[in-house]
Amino acid sequence: MKRPFVAHHRELYWRFISETAMHVTRIRRVAFFVLVVTAAAAVCGWTTWNWNRLRPYHWQQVESPDATFSMNFPVSPKASTQNDTGAIDGRQFVANRLTASPAPRIGYAVSWWENPEQKDKPTGQLFADFRERAAAEAFRGKVASKELTVAGNPAIDIVTADADGTVVYNRVIRAGPRIYSLFVIDGSGRFAVDKKDVGMFFNSFSLH
């Protein structure tokens, strides 16, 4: 009478082993699938987060419309002009600009003008005005500045970091009566602009 019981017991045992193995296999498959999905989501998330940094820029040298300078842009810029008015005496002057946006909320630009009000102003005071304006426009942010020389001309670098994550890199160059203002704006809130790209943009500026 024991043999049937033993045989039945062995049959149940091996059935349990088989079902357990199948269950473990299913668990492993589900775990592997979850792992793959999680890894894919992480990669997609990281890629989306760092898209602006991963996206290749097509740097190209651009000549200004008046042929007074050249510099490199990450994509082809658009040229525009604007009539401005001096804040003190109301005299008008023309401001020119080249702007490019290689990615959403990322901007590269250079503006240049000759404002009669700024012509005779001491360079120290002129740069102080730019610093004060940057500080006034920063929304609960921080402003850092450093003076330097660009091709023998006085210049100042101003970096503004707003509380919302917007970062503005600005280099102002005084060359005789003309002011050149180079901008890199990162409005992504993720610090997507590489500082190497900022340096490449600023340092490519060349007066003729």
Side-chain angles (χ1 to χ4, degrees):
M1 296 295 294
K2 292 183 179 180
R3 288 185 177 179
F5 175 78
V6 171
H8 179 67
H9 181 69
R10 287 179 176 176
E11 181 180 351
L12 292 177
Y13 173 78
W14 287 113
R15 182 182 300 173
F16 172 77
I17 294 296
S18 177
E19 291 178 353
T20 301
M22 293 176 62
H23 181 64
V24 171
T25 301
R26 285 196 296 269
I27 292 177
R28 287 178 177 176
R29 288 177 179 175
V30 172
F32 178 75
F33 176 76
V34 171
L35 179 63
V36 170
V37 171
T38 303
V43 170
C44 290
W46 185 88
T47 302
T48 301
W49 183 268
N50 292 275
W51 171 246
N52 292 329
R53 304 188 75 163
L54 293 173
R55 181 176 180 171
Y57 286 0
H58 303 288
W59 290 97
Q60 52 192 285
Q61 188 179 64
V62 177
E63 187 89 6
S64 66
D66 59 358
T68 58
F69 72 90
S70 61
M71 65 184 309
N72 296 336
F73 276 84
V75 293
S76 182
K78 295 181 179 179
S80 62
T81 59
Q82 179 179 333
N83 292 323
D84 284 339
T85 303
I88 300 176
D89 59 15
R91 282 186 290 177
Q92 291 189 343
F93 61 95
V94 177
N96 303 274
R97 177 174 294 182
L98 292 173
T99 59
S101 180
R105 300 183 66 83
I106 304 296
Y108 289 73
V110 55
S111 298
W112 65 100
W113 64 85
E114 294 183 19
N115 183 353
E117 292 181 4
Q118 297 173 333
K119 181 179 179 181
D120 299 323
K121 181 174 290 189
T123 300
Q125 183 59 51
L126 179 68
F127 289 167
D129 291 344
F130 278 99
R131 280 194 298 264
E132 291 176 5
R133 181 177 178 181
E137 293 179 351
F139 177 68
R140 292 182 298 175
K142 298 180 180 179
V143 178
S145 62
K146 180 182 67 174
E147 295 189 19
L148 65 158
T149 301
V150 175
N153 299 294
I156 185 172
D157 282 348
I158 304 173
V159 181
T160 305
D162 289 351
D164 65 356
T166 299
V167 182
V168 179
Y169 304 89
N170 182 208
R171 173 169 290 182
V172 180
I173 305 169
R174 184 177 203 174
R178 179 171 289 189
I179 303 297
Y180 295 92
S181 183
L182 288 58
F183 278 97
V184 177
I185 302 175
D186 181 359
S188 66
R190 303 172 181 177
F191 300 100
V193 173
D194 196 317
K195 289 185 178 180
K196 292 182 179 179
D197 290 330
V198 177
M200 182 180 298
F201 181 65
F202 283 176
N203 297 329
S204 69
F205 180 81
S206 177
L207 288 169
H208 299 333

